Amino acid sequence: MASETQVSATPASTVPIGKDGKPLKPCCACPETKKARDQCVFNLGEENCLDMIKAHQQCLRDLGFKI
């Protein structure tokens, strides 16, 4: 069964800021790794894409999201 990743809400002062100066949302951050992850999961299944999933999670962490 698929496991879900929880993304914690962070105080407004620690939310990553995008290039447009607005706070980033986890759904819109790291579009490159998100697209690669989503295509892999769609084509091969979640269990075969763990490296892509981990890379996307790390990208989110690098931006300051607590996942």
Side-chain angles (χ1 to χ4, degrees):
M1 176 172 232
S3 62
E4 292 187 26
T5 301
Q6 296 291 324
V7 178
S8 302
T10 56
S13 62
T14 61
V15 174
I17 304 299
K19 293 178 183 178
D20 60 359
K22 296 180 182 178
L24 278 175
K25 297 177 186 176
C27 64
C28 303
C30 300
E32 298 85 13
T33 58
K34 181 180 179 184
K35 183 177 180 179
R37 177 208 63 186
D38 291 350
Q39 286 179 340
C40 183
V41 171
F42 181 77
N43 292 323
L44 303 174
E46 183 177 344
E47 62 279 355
N48 296 309
C49 300
L50 297 179
D51 289 342
M52 299 274 190
I53 293 168
K54 299 273 185 202
H56 184 60
Q57 290 174 341
Q58 187 60 51
C59 181
L60 293 171
R61 286 185 191 106
D62 292 346
L63 288 175
F65 291 103
K66 297 180 189 224
I67 59 168

